[in-house]
Amino acid sequence: MISKEKISTRYKELFDSDATHIVRSPGRINIIGEHTDYNEGFVLPTAIDKAIYVAVSRRSDNMIRLYAEDFQTFYETPLSAIHPTMEGWPNYVLGVVNQLVERRLPVSGFNLYIDGDVPLGAGLSSSAALECATGFALNVLFDLELDRVDIAKIGQLAEHTYAGVQCGIMDQFASAMSKAGHVLRLDCRDLSFLYKPLELGDYTILLLNTNVKHSLASTAYNDRRSACEAAVRLIQQKHAEVNSLRDATVTMLEELVLPVDADAFVKSRFIIEENERVEQVCVALENGDLETMGELMYRAHEGLSKEYDVSCPELDFLVDYVRQFPEILGARMMGGGFGGCTINLVHKRFEDLLIDRMKPVYEEKFGLELTAIKVVPSAGTSLL
């Protein structure tokens, strides 16, 4: 169990000084709206009760000294010499620092400690949580006067420039901006957002982690993004006003994309339909219609698996298996794809029974452990 006291004690052991601030920034789930964020579409995420914790204090010099509990490793560099590193994990912190330096904000040397209980590699955005925790902590430490949207944008740019992933804004936005008991209906074009109550009654959200990450993930992500951009370029030859798939219709795709690029057509159609599903789930939540919400989750998975082609046998098996149970209203793969978790809308009384039923079946079929992650929609980044 991670606590403020435990972090403070560990910080003192490592840095021989007291932490000035401790920040908690949560991981996230996304109810629906997958791969729409980098297409200027809509998403429906919320933060969860699993988080990355960052403790910081100023130094008297210009050194940056980092420690990651998960890796039991220090990393240090002068502020003047920060650059992307092959070690991986420091990049999420250094990328944020680089963005602050680019903005000519008054940053100097600091010590920073990282711990957390967001399962790594499960698609719960531990990287975005770390970026937002870092941004929030440095904002307070150096009195930078950034708001939460600034911190989310800085986290996204850190991921682009230092981690090398051209991610959308959803993960950082959900980590920084979420409100307990609500989902965020986020417009990824202009970052306007609405809080929608997430009232699940007798149901709860259960994540089932495949514990697999296929190596296709990063290349495939960039390939999907390219296919969507190719479709937009084809449409723009006739409709100059179309800036992204957000502005496109299926009719435009059928006329201008299908004859030239069948693959781009199928993937782009999925994005347009996924945007519509976000709107439909919002209406279902407002009406307390969890059955419709669940059906839309199942349909989204079919599209992600068969059309956008970002699923894998383990994810498909988990979704197909739960369809037999009336106590489960909906399920789909969540995140970039090729591994990670399924998100399941499960009756509370059936949650533990489901875990007991599925674990041995999955483990026998794939020779992998199935990890169940119970989550509670929670508030965004905060100072402890």
Side-chain angles (χ1 to χ4, degrees):
M1 181 71 183
I2 296 171
S3 66
K4 188 175 180 180
E5 293 68 33
K6 185 180 168 190
I7 292 169
S8 299
T9 304
R10 185 74 172 124
Y11 191 93
K12 181 94 172 173
E13 285 171 10
L14 291 163
F15 296 109
D16 197 27
S17 65
D18 291 320
T20 315
H21 303 291
I22 300 173
V23 170
R24 174 192 180 279
S25 198
R28 65 98 191 98
I29 53 173
N30 185 28
I31 303 297
I32 204 154
E34 218 62 81
H35 291 273
T36 49
D37 60 347
Y38 55 82
N39 287 295
E40 296 191 342
F42 298 99
V43 289
L44 203 64
T46 186
I48 56 171
D49 57 334
K50 310 272 185 289
I52 298 292
Y53 296 81
V54 153
V56 288
S57 63
R58 290 193 191 214
R59 295 175 58 93
S60 56
D61 56 20
N62 269 327
M63 288 300 291
I64 294 172
R65 196 153 191 251
L66 314 176
Y67 186 86
E69 195 65 67
D70 270 343
F71 300 101
Q72 303 271 299
T73 308
F74 277 104
Y75 179 87
E76 58 180 59
T77 177
L79 179 61
S80 58
I82 59 167
H83 62 277
T85 163
M86 297 302 288
E87 283 182 63
W89 68 266
N91 287 328
Y92 301 105
V93 175
L94 299 175
V96 170
V97 177
N98 176 59
Q99 289 301 316
L100 300 177
V101 170
E102 293 270 310
R103 286 166 170 72
R104 293 181 161 56
L105 292 169
V107 183
S108 58
F110 60 89
N111 295 322
L112 185 145
Y113 168 79
I114 306 160
D115 198 2
D117 58 6
V118 182
L120 301 180
L124 303 182
S125 294
S126 54
S127 58
L130 175 53
E131 289 150 4
C132 290
T134 300
F136 200 95
L138 297 180
N139 185 42
V140 180
L141 187 66
F142 295 113
D143 299 316
L144 304 179
E145 298 183 357
L146 299 167
D147 65 24
R148 287 171 180 268
V149 175
D150 291 330
I151 289 167
K153 288 177 175 175
I154 283 167
Q156 181 194 23
L157 287 169
E159 190 111 7
H160 289 186
T161 53
Y162 270 56
V165 179
Q166 297 301 306
C167 64
I169 190 72
M170 174 180 71
D171 297 347
Q172 292 82 2
F173 208 92
S175 192
M177 302 292 293
S178 286
K179 183 173 158 183
H182 291 72
V183 284
L184 271 166
R185 179 197 168 278
L186 173 64
D187 181 333
C188 295
R189 167 170 285 171
D190 62 12
L191 300 190
S192 60
F193 62 95
L194 299 166
Y195 290 109
K196 299 277 184 182
L198 184 63
E199 292 167 358
L200 299 178
D202 292 333
Y203 288 81
T204 189
I205 291 169
L206 176 68
L207 307 179
L208 295 172
N209 187 3
T210 60
N211 285 306
V212 71
K213 193 69 184 169
H214 292 289
S215 56
L216 285 163
S218 53
T219 359
Y221 179 93
N222 293 331
D223 289 347
R224 301 303 176 277
R225 193 164 183 153
S226 299
C228 293
E229 288 164 358
V232 170
R233 284 194 298 274
L234 287 167
I235 292 168
Q236 283 172 335
Q237 292 171 13
K238 185 171 178 182
H239 301 279
E241 74 283 3
V242 169
N243 292 311
S244 69
L245 288 176
R246 161 74 170 277
D247 306 313
T249 63
V250 174
T251 306
M252 289 176 187
L253 294 178
E254 287 168 347
E255 181 193 350
L256 300 163
V257 181
L258 181 57
V260 182
D261 189 334
D263 181 59
F265 167 77
V266 172
K267 293 187 170 44
S268 301
R269 184 182 59 188
F270 166 80
I271 297 296
I272 291 171
E273 291 174 350
E274 185 76 347
N275 274 325
E276 289 166 2
R277 280 189 283 271
V278 174
E279 298 301 321
Q280 290 163 347
V281 168
C282 287
V283 172
L285 281 172
E286 283 164 13
N287 296 334
D289 183 359
L290 298 182
E291 286 78 9
T292 294
M293 174 175 152
E295 286 165 16
L296 289 162
M297 289 168 70
Y298 278 134
R299 174 65 195 102
H301 183 79
E302 286 170 25
L304 286 158
S305 177
K306 309 286 190 299
E307 296 156 23
Y308 215 65
D309 198 20
V310 288
S311 189
C312 62
E314 296 88 349
L315 288 167
D316 287 343
F317 173 79
L318 293 181
V319 173
D320 291 342
Y321 188 85
V322 301
R323 282 178 183 271
Q324 66 186 288
F325 302 113
E327 298 88 349
I328 297 167
L329 297 183
R332 67 174 191 84
M333 59 151 280
M334 186 184 73
F338 306 103
C341 294
T342 61
I343 177 170
N344 302 264
L345 187 55
V346 188
H347 199 287
K348 287 173 182 172
R349 69 163 187 259
F350 191 66
E351 190 175 32
D352 290 328
L353 284 167
L354 176 70
I355 295 164
D356 292 343
R357 298 262 305 251
M358 288 197 74
K359 270 180 77 69
V361 178
Y362 178 83
E363 288 165 14
E364 185 182 348
K365 183 169 178 65
F366 293 105
L368 291 163
E369 186 186 0
L370 181 68
T371 312
I373 306 167
K374 297 179 180 183
V375 294
V376 178
S378 299
T381 311
S382 61
L383 206 54
L384 290 192

